[in-house]
Structure formats: C-alpha cells, structure tokens
Amino acid sequence: MGEKVVLAYSGGLDTSVAVRWLADKGYEVVALTVDLGLDREREEVQGRALAAGAVKFVWRDVKESFLRDYAFKALKAGALYQGHYPLATALSRPLIAKCLVEVAQEEGATAVAHGCTGKGNDQVRFDVSVQALAPHLRIVAPVREWDMDREAELRYAQEKGIPVPLSQGSPYSVDANLWGRSIECGPLEDPWQEPPEEVFLWTAPPSRWAREPIYVEITFHQGVPVALDGKEMGPVELVRRLNELGGEQGVGRIDMVEDRLVGIKTREVYEAPAAVILLTAHEALEQLTLSREQRRFKQRIAQEYAELVYYGLWFTRHRQDLDAYIASTQRFVTGTVRMKLFQGQAVVVGRKSPHSLYDFSLATYEAGDKFDHRASPGFIHIWGLPARVQAQAQGREE
Ligand code: ARG
C-alpha cells in the first residue's frame, strides 16, 4: 500500500488532475472538500473525485466556523488588505489547512496536498498553516511541480479519462465562499480593461438595480453581527441574506490592483456584498462607541491584521495577540446601524448604541447646549503652548 495523502479538492480541473497525478506517483489519495457556504452539490463533487481516482472522499461543512472564527474576527479588526480587499480567499486558507491536518490525522496520512500554483499567495497560506499545525506532515503541491499548462492538463485529463468540469470553458479563475468571490485571469489581466459583466454572479448591473433603495438594520453584539431588522440570525443566514440584499443593488464590487506576497502586482476583481456592508456598518458603530484614541490606534491594528491574514500568518502568536487587543476594543461595540443599499453603494444612514459616547447636550448648537464655551480659551492656551514656545525659540512658521 502506498503512502496516504489528503488533497484539498475543489472539484475543478487542477485538483481533479492532481488526484490522478498523485495516484500515479503511488499515493493513496483522500479527497477532502471543505464546504464554505457555496451551494455545491456534494454528490457531484464526490463523484468527480472518485472518478479521478481518489480512494476516499471526505466532506467537511465548516461554513459556520468559517464566519464565526475567521471572517468575523477580521470584521471586528476592520481588516481590508490595501484598503479594499475584505480577504475572503485569504481567510479561508488557514481553515482549509486545519481541516487537511485533521483529516490527515484521522486517516493516518503522512502528507497533505493542495492545488495552488507556484506564483500565488494561497500556496504560502496553505504551506505556512500546515507547517504551524503539523510540522511532521509533508506538503505536496502538484500544480507547482508539474510542468503542464491548461492545454496539457486537458490532454492529461482526456488520456486518463478524468471528467472535466463544465467551468472549463471559462477563461477566469474563481474562488468563492460566503465572505466573497475572487475573480482573476482572462481579460482581467489587462488592468486597463473594464471587467466584462459576465465575471459578476452575485451583484446586479445598473440595468437590474431596483429603483427603490433597500434599508436594512444590522445589530451587533460586541462587534459581532447578530440580527437583521431586529430578527436574530446565525452567521450563515445573516451573511447569506446580506449577500442577496446587497447583490440586488450591486453593492460590493471591488476592482483593484494588489500586491501579492511573492512580489507580483495582480489585478483582481471581487464581489463581497455582505462583507462590504458589514465592515461599513461595524465601523459606523465604532465611530459611536470608541474613543478617539481607540479608533486611531485600532486603525493601525486593522492594517497589521489585514497584512497578517493576507501573508498567511493566521496560526501565529502574533495573530492571537492582536485578537486579544481587538476583543478588548469590542466590549462596547453593541448597537444597531441602519444601512441604505442603493445604486452600488452601502451607506450608513443611522446608528444607535446603549454605550454611545455621543452626547446631544455636548454636540448641539441649539438650546440645551451644556458645553462650557468659556473654558475653551484656557484649553487652547495650554494646547498651543508648545507651538508658541517653538516659534519663539526657532522662528515662526512660514
Ligand atoms: N488575490 C486574492 C488573494 O490572494 C485571491 C486569490 C485567489 N483568486 C482567484 N481568483 N482564484 O487572497
């Protein structure tokens, strides 16, 4: 009997060919499909894996954990890579790696495998996560090792009788989970070319936007979304619903050029209605409930967190330390945000919290103003002191 390997199996061409390629190398291949909330047909994926030559198929439904333990942590952090990307693909990799390691243990496998190429971020995220969780496991990355382009892969599949998925006609590479869809390749490789409408599956084009805006109220408890329009919901239902509502109004399309960890600039298009709506709403609630200093410092942590996730460093003490800080900041981030979804935008139009720091009697310019205007000159006198001293000693500012 050969060595056992657990392969992260998506059902696409690369991983289907990888099943057979590994089997030809003498491995017994266990195909693992991780369900991150896409409505994929389990039977169909399983059939494809077995037809390609896997000895066993394992299906793991982790969509709830994906949102609770990964995506919502990034939400609480306010993480957007390079200011735009909500990290759907990047967040899924450590969880898939964790599943690979668990199944490897259950199956007595000595190796795990994934279908990443040698020039992307995902190979780094998988490899580093597996190394952190189970350093004794060997990692095989067939696509990184074999020298086949798409044509050669298709020939290989034909020769070996591997069923080719329907999506094979598409020039795009797509990765998707509940937190968002990532699309690259084909015409998108020209950063000057507008994304063809066909790349978008979740978000409506302007011609199909509803004429009336959609309003939705999102309630957070300590930074975590728990209800829509007053109705309590688990994470999967809540995110699904926001993807639908946002999608109807074209919310959550992102078109960017980003810097990969391996040094390549890449053009990627994303659809992430729920993530964009939730990140926007969550930040609005922090505007209300965090102090100026907390907000300023937390913004730096948000950037650190986004980079850490993007760079594949999920299973590190550094992430745990940042999570501890972020959790502490979220103690009073409880309340409700009203969002207006309209014509591609998710706009905050209302916010309230039992822990709000907004004080009407301090803010108002109308009757009832409690702010002591006469105390201001004294405050300004002290505040401006260093500037005056410096001007005196070193000359006035031009
Ligand atoms: N650029 C994104 C990231 O590194 C997505 C990568 C996968 N994209 C894809 N279309 N397969 O996280």
Side-chain angles (χ1 to χ4, degrees):
M1 261 207 326
E3 250 186 275
K4 242 189 211 177
V5 62
V6 183
L7 167 71
Y9 183 71
S10 71
L13 177 69
D14 284 342
T15 52
S16 295
V17 170
V19 170
R20 178 57 61 89
W21 187 86
L22 287 163
D24 286 351
K25 290 252 181 260
Y27 282 104
E28 279 185 48
V29 184
V30 176
L32 164 67
T33 298
V34 176
D35 178 3
L36 295 165
L38 298 181
D39 300 310
R40 273 194 301 197
E41 282 302 322
R42 177 177 172 159
E43 279 71 32
E44 202 213 313
V45 181
Q46 170 165 359
R48 226 204 285 289
L50 297 178
V55 296
K56 185 169 176 179
F57 177 78
V58 179
W59 173 274
R60 280 271 162 118
D61 176 355
V62 293
K63 49 185 180 285
E64 172 122 11
S65 166
F66 172 59
L67 291 176
R68 221 184 269 292
D69 307 324
Y70 294 77
F72 286 179
K73 281 195 169 132
L75 169 63
K76 287 189 272 187
L80 284 170
Y81 182 64
Q82 296 191 321
H84 299 282
Y85 167 40
L87 295 158
T89 298
L91 285 162
S92 73
R93 295 331 190 196
L95 176 54
I96 296 172
K98 183 164 167 273
C99 294
L100 278 174
V101 167
E102 285 167 6
V103 174
Q105 229 133 37
E106 287 161 21
E107 299 291 331
T110 51
V112 294
H114 57 71
C116 301
T117 72
K119 59 193 282 191
N121 296 312
D122 287 328
Q123 52 167 348
V124 181
R125 298 167 184 152
F126 276 123
D127 290 11
V128 172
S129 297
V130 170
Q131 286 165 18
L133 295 171
H136 59 279
L137 285 176
R138 193 143 31 114
I139 303 165
V140 195
V143 181
R144 197 163 58 190
E145 290 179 26
W146 71 40
D147 248 325
M148 289 193 274
D149 57 13
R150 182 136 83 170
E151 293 309 307
E153 274 186 59
L154 284 168
R155 267 201 312 277
Y156 184 96
Q158 199 158 33
E159 272 165 31
K160 307 268 181 176
I162 301 165
V164 174
L166 284 176
S167 60
Q168 233 5 81
S170 154
Y172 305 105
S173 158
V174 178
D175 178 67
N177 59 51
L178 279 171
W179 204 233
R181 258 183 105 232
S182 313
I183 312 112
E184 60 183 352
C185 301
L188 298 175
E189 284 181 353
D190 175 1
W192 177 246
Q193 187 177 327
E194 182 174 349
E197 196 51 44
E198 65 184 11
V199 309
F200 300 106
L201 288 190
W202 293 4
T203 53
S207 57
R208 289 200 284 117
W209 290 344
R211 292 167 68 109
E212 294 299 315
I214 297 171
Y215 285 89
V216 62
E217 292 185 7
I218 306 169
T219 301
F220 291 84
H221 176 71
Q222 301 192 328
V224 174
V226 292
L228 289 189
D229 292 325
K231 187 170 170 266
E232 275 186 37
M233 261 179 222
V236 173
E237 193 189 356
L238 186 141
V239 167
R240 279 224 168 102
R241 187 81 193 114
L242 286 179
N243 275 331
E244 279 164 24
L245 291 175
E248 282 175 37
Q249 283 287 356
V251 170
R253 290 188 177 188
I254 299 155
D255 175 355
M256 71 188 285
V257 171
E258 71 192 38
D259 290 282
R260 283 192 198 157
L261 178 52
V262 295
I264 303 170
K265 279 201 187 290
T266 180
R267 196 276 191 95
E268 189 107 25
V269 171
Y270 301 101
E271 289 186 286
V276 166
I277 295 167
L278 287 170
L279 282 155
T280 308
H282 178 264
E283 208 260 332
L285 196 54
E286 289 191 334
Q287 292 173 9
L288 203 61
T289 55
L290 298 188
S291 70
R292 170 174 54 190
E293 291 73 22
Q294 287 177 300
R295 290 182 61 198
R296 187 180 56 212
F297 191 73
K298 187 168 178 287
Q299 269 169 21
R300 285 160 46 184
I301 300 303
Q303 196 179 333
E304 182 72 17
Y305 203 88
E307 285 175 12
L308 170 158
V309 170
Y310 193 86
Y311 298 158
L313 302 177
W314 184 265
F315 293 114
T316 57
R317 305 293 167 225
H318 186 40
R319 199 262 305 162
Q320 292 177 350
D321 294 346
L322 296 183
D323 273 338
Y325 165 77
I326 292 159
S328 175
T329 63
Q330 299 300 292
R331 280 170 298 162
F332 299 103
V333 184
T334 292
T336 300
V337 179
R338 186 148 42 102
M339 303 287 297
K340 177 178 176 174
L341 314 177
F342 194 46
Q343 302 189 333
Q345 303 292 320
V347 181
V348 177
V349 292
R351 63 292 267 164
K352 62 181 180 186
S353 165
H355 312 296
S356 172
L357 302 174
Y358 181 87
D359 186 332
F360 176 81
S361 63
L362 289 176
T364 186
Y365 284 95
E366 324 247 312
D369 182 4
K370 297 249 173 63
F371 186 79
D372 182 357
H373 294 233
R374 280 165 314 172
S376 281
F379 164 74
I380 296 164
H381 185 73
I382 305 287
W383 177 247
L385 179 67
R388 287 201 304 280
V389 168
Q390 195 155 29
Q392 235 155 34
Q394 300 174 352
R396 274 180 286 154
E397 281 298 324
E398 295 304 314

